Amino acid sequence: MEGISDISHLPPAPDRWLAQLYADTRDVMFKDWAVISKVFPRPIDVMQQLLKRVFEQTIQSYLETLLGRAERQSNLAFLRVLSSSHIETRKLIEDLQRFDAETVTPAVTVLESARRSGNVPQGLLDMPSSAQTSSAQFSRSRAKKAISRRGRDAEQSAIDDDDDLDDEAAARDRLGEAKSGVSSAVAIAALIGRSEGDNAGVGLLHGFLNRCCDDLFESYVAGSNYMRAEQAHLKEAFRQTLAPFARSRAERHNSSRGNALLGIFTSVTGGANTATSGNGAGSAGNASAAGGQPAEFEGTVTATTARMLLQVHAEAIARGVELENDGLVAECVSSLTSILLSTLGDEYMFPALEDVLESLQDLRQEPDLRTFGVIRVANIAVRLVQMHFQRAIVPFVGASSYVYRDMVAEKNQFMSRVEMSLNLISNKLVGACTQWILGILGKQRKGDFRPADDDYTAFEMGTQPCRQCADYLHRIERACRQSMGAENQERVLTDVGNTLYRMLMEHLRKFVVSVAGGLVLVKDVSKYREAIGSFGIPALNEKFSILQDISNIFVVQPAALKSLLDEGPLARLDRATVQGFVQMREDGRTSGLARQFL
């Protein structure tokens, strides 16, 4: 019983004493048949009574004790012991049925046939020598009939007296094997004229043995006894699995709103690196665990929790398939799957994703890039559900049944709601990130592009807002690479890049740029271009190449400006846009330079 009540442990092996009891039962039945078949004129009746006594007294008594002890420990322990005991009992029944089909039934058939012909009245193993000739005649007759059925009339007519003597000796040998209870089904079939396809695998005790097994477990699975126990366990196991998430979420909602939003990412599970709470520069480092794998946080969706829920459900499905009648398996699987989807959605993923979406509402705070990891894990959870559905559920539900259709509809509705939530989070996160970048650009000072001639830091490193934006863009890119597939990466990064391009086109027309400031601006645009280049999207590279050409407007001499605007890539831009940049040159207004390009 050690560990049997722990849902994180795999189900234990069947009780070793039960397995030993069944091994002893096999040995006793196999050995007793040799004696019974020698002593009693109707050995099949004696064998049936012996089996009934063993099942009703010895086996049933031990099973009741075993299951009672398990039930006192926990509901899960009871269900696991019930299932493993049923599996072990079915193995015993199948072994006994095989012995019956291969040994008991063929031997009894020989005896009954001989009795009907009046050749063997004393019993199967008590045939006197005076009956040997009659037995040989019986055997030869059965052999001839078998040959005739196979269309071998010519061969039958060729049997001579010597062959008859050989037939008699062979028949006695085969009958002796039947008497000992160890002959093969093939030998007996040849003796009694029974082909292997004529229900060769079903013996006289087949149905009786099935009833013995059913009677052992009837009180535990009859009606809805088993399903009530399984459903109660499943709900409790799910509640236990989601307890850390529920506790973390309750603590957040009981605290102040700001702390509640930050608390989503404060607790790490699954052995990942410890993450720090709060936002800021540390968020990038917390986006991944050792080995480049994103960390998991118990305050939101985790692959570990999703896998545990599916593991618990798969074990329940296996028990249902084992214990329920064949006609009720589909309804059993459907009922247990409805509990899974309801719990996974309404009590776990939907509330968690709603919390993440709420955490992105306050645009005054830097968006936590670990939100990309939540999107990744939620996608993993959806894929796991789909795999689980195909492998652990569909095989036990008829593909054309109404149960299957209802289950597919319920599963698709769950997946559709998750996908819709993830799309909302993704769009909101992109908007929050670009809004944060806009806030950084808003810290650009008017004198940043009119530096002193000895301000070498600005010439070499660019302005501080630019450096902060470039760093944030690199962090966005890394978070996307770690958390999204190629298609979603391109979509998110393209949205960020296009928004940044539009913002910079507006941003750079707000500042007067001196000759020295032009060099600083060129440096800034180079950093933006480098950061966007790491996205690996050609369309964005082309746009920021144009932005680099625009920055050259502020560093060329007035005489070369016309050539730059009329012959290069800038010639494709709207003339009003170009004029707006020219006007921001420090000498643009005093020399009337901008009017030259109207």
Side-chain angles (χ1 to χ4, degrees):
M1 294 291 179
E2 183 177 356
I4 197 172
S5 298
D6 189 346
I7 59 174
S8 63
H9 288 185
L10 293 176
D15 178 71
R16 64 181 184 273
W17 299 115
L18 181 67
Q20 184 61 51
L21 173 60
Y22 286 171
D24 294 342
T25 301
R26 291 182 184 91
D27 292 341
V28 169
M29 292 300 106
F30 296 164
K31 292 176 182 178
D32 283 1
W33 168 248
V35 177
I36 292 171
S37 58
K38 290 179 181 179
V39 174
F40 297 97
R42 296 190 60 83
I44 190 69
D45 295 339
V46 178
M47 189 69 171
Q48 183 168 314
Q49 289 299 320
L50 177 60
L51 286 168
K52 183 178 180 181
R53 184 176 303 170
V54 169
F55 275 93
E56 289 183 352
Q57 296 179 8
T58 307
I59 294 178
Q60 183 172 351
S61 176
Y62 185 79
L63 273 177
E64 289 176 352
T65 301
L66 179 65
L67 290 168
R69 186 157 58 96
E71 189 172 20
R72 288 191 295 273
Q73 181 162 335
S74 70
N75 194 16
L76 176 58
F78 169 75
L79 290 170
R80 283 177 163 177
V81 171
L82 180 65
S83 178
S84 64
S85 299
H86 192 272
I87 292 173
E88 200 69 13
T89 304
R90 286 304 312 169
K91 291 179 181 178
L92 172 65
I93 295 297
E94 290 168 3
D95 288 345
L96 294 176
Q97 287 174 336
R98 189 179 304 111
F99 176 72
D100 171 36
E102 295 179 356
T103 301
V104 175
T105 295
V108 171
T109 304
V110 171
L111 175 60
E112 293 300 324
S113 298
R115 278 180 175 168
R116 284 195 297 269
S117 65
N119 292 329
V120 189
Q122 288 85 0
L124 184 60
L125 297 185
D126 198 18
M127 186 172 61
S129 59
S130 61
Q132 290 179 0
T133 304
S134 298
S135 176
Q137 291 174 350
F138 163 75
S139 302
R140 186 163 58 252
S141 174
R142 300 293 289 181
K144 287 181 179 180
K145 289 181 180 178
I147 293 172
S148 175
R149 282 196 298 271
R150 292 192 295 269
R152 298 172 60 183
D153 296 332
E155 183 176 349
Q156 178 182 358
S157 63
I159 297 178
D160 55 16
D161 294 338
D162 292 337
D163 292 332
D164 288 345
L165 295 176
D166 293 339
D167 248 356
E168 183 178 344
R172 284 200 303 271
D173 291 341
R174 288 196 295 270
L175 188 57
E177 291 177 354
K179 296 173 185 179
S180 66
V182 295
S183 62
S184 68
V186 176
I188 291 297
L191 175 62
I192 65 176
R194 176 187 178 197
S195 68
E196 291 185 76
D198 298 336
N199 294 325
V202 178
L204 298 174
L205 296 174
H206 185 88
F208 167 77
L209 289 169
N210 281 336
R211 288 194 300 274
C212 287
C213 181
D214 293 342
D215 290 344
L216 288 176
F217 296 93
E218 178 70 19
S219 61
Y220 303 107
V221 300
S224 57
N225 290 347
Y226 160 69
M227 276 305 299
R228 282 198 301 268
E230 192 68 78
Q231 290 172 346
H233 154 68
L234 202 58
K235 292 175 182 178
E236 174 59 24
F238 286 166
R239 186 200 63 77
Q240 180 182 342
T241 303
L242 296 180
F245 165 76
R247 181 173 58 251
S248 177
R249 190 165 186 259
E251 290 173 354
R252 290 199 308 272
H253 285 277
N254 289 335
S255 62
S256 64
R257 183 174 184 275
N259 289 336
L261 299 180
L262 299 179
I264 293 176
F265 300 106
T266 57
S267 299
V268 183
T269 62
N273 286 353
T274 301
T276 57
S277 61
N279 293 321
S283 298
N286 294 332
S288 64
Q293 292 298 320
E296 290 191 345
F297 308 93
E298 68 180 13
T300 185
V301 180
T302 70
T304 301
T305 301
R307 281 194 295 268
M308 178 57 68
L309 292 173
L310 297 180
Q311 175 181 317
V312 170
H313 182 257
E315 184 183 337
I317 291 290
R319 284 194 295 267
V321 172
E322 173 65 28
L323 295 171
E324 279 287 10
N325 294 329
D326 292 343
L328 299 176
V329 166
E331 286 79 3
C332 169
V333 172
S334 175
S335 174
L336 298 179
T337 302
S338 293
I339 296 175
L340 170 70
L341 293 176
S342 174
T343 303
L344 193 60
D346 297 336
E347 298 182 26
Y348 185 43
M349 293 192 68
F350 299 148
L353 296 179
E354 288 172 4
D355 288 348
V356 172
L357 190 61
E358 183 184 356
S359 71
L360 298 172
Q361 298 299 324
D362 190 353
L363 299 181
R364 296 170 300 177
Q365 297 186 24
E366 177 184 347
D368 197 317
L369 298 184
R370 288 173 292 188
T371 303
F372 282 110
V374 176
I375 297 174
R376 168 187 173 272
V377 172
N379 272 315
I380 290 174
V382 169
R383 291 198 297 271
L384 287 174
V385 170
Q386 180 63 31
M387 293 171 59
H388 177 74
F389 188 81
Q390 292 296 329
R391 297 179 182 180
I393 297 174
V394 170
F396 305 112
V397 181
S400 61
S401 69
Y402 73 93
V403 176
Y404 173 79
R405 293 194 297 272
D406 290 345
M407 289 173 60
V408 169
E410 190 174 3
K411 183 262 299 180
N412 288 345
Q413 183 181 17
F414 161 79
M415 298 178 71
S416 178
R417 284 188 61 186
V418 174
E419 183 178 358
M420 186 181 302
S421 297
L422 293 181
N423 285 336
L424 288 174
I425 291 173
S426 178
N427 293 334
K428 191 67 177 180
L429 181 58
V430 169
C433 288
T434 53
Q435 188 67 28
W436 185 255
I437 291 174
L438 183 62
I440 295 175
L441 293 176
K443 298 177 182 178
Q444 194 93 58
R445 295 175 299 181
K446 292 184 178 181
D448 282 347
F449 299 113
R450 303 177 71 180
D453 293 339
D454 59 351
D455 189 357
Y456 301 109
T457 301
F459 296 140
E460 294 177 0
M461 302 180 62
T463 63
Q464 183 177 7
C466 172
R467 294 196 299 271
Q468 291 178 349
C469 283
D471 177 67
Y472 193 64
L473 289 171
H474 283 301
R475 287 159 51 196
I476 292 175
E477 185 265 337
R478 286 196 298 270
C480 281
R481 301 292 186 209
Q482 290 176 337
S483 304
M484 292 185 165
E487 184 177 345
N488 286 331
Q489 286 179 30
E490 183 174 356
R491 183 181 68 83
V492 169
L493 295 177
T494 298
D495 288 348
V496 172
N498 285 333
T499 304
L500 177 63
Y501 175 78
R502 292 192 297 270
M503 289 192 301
L504 288 176
M505 290 290 285
E506 294 293 328
H507 178 71
L508 297 181
R509 285 189 290 181
K510 297 178 181 178
F511 301 92
V512 175
V513 183
S514 65
V515 176
L519 298 175
V520 175
L521 180 59
V522 168
K523 188 68 174 180
D524 274 8
V525 174
S526 295
K527 284 187 172 295
Y528 291 129
R529 186 180 180 186
E530 178 186 358
I532 292 298
S534 67
F535 290 5
I537 301 174
L540 292 179
N541 294 338
E542 183 178 351
K543 286 186 175 183
F544 278 79
S545 176
I546 294 175
L547 196 62
Q548 189 75 67
D549 292 330
I550 290 175
S551 69
N552 291 332
I553 291 176
F554 300 96
V555 295
V556 300
Q557 295 297 321
L561 189 58
K562 182 174 178 60
S563 174
L564 176 67
L565 300 181
D566 293 344
E567 300 176 5
L570 297 181
R572 300 194 298 269
L573 293 180
D574 178 70
R575 301 305 292 178
T577 300
V578 173
Q579 183 184 17
F581 285 108
V582 173
Q583 286 178 338
M584 301 315 295
R585 283 176 59 115
E586 191 174 41
D587 58 355
R589 299 178 181 180
T590 57
S591 61
L593 191 62
R595 290 193 297 273
Q596 300 179 27
F597 304 100
L598 291 176

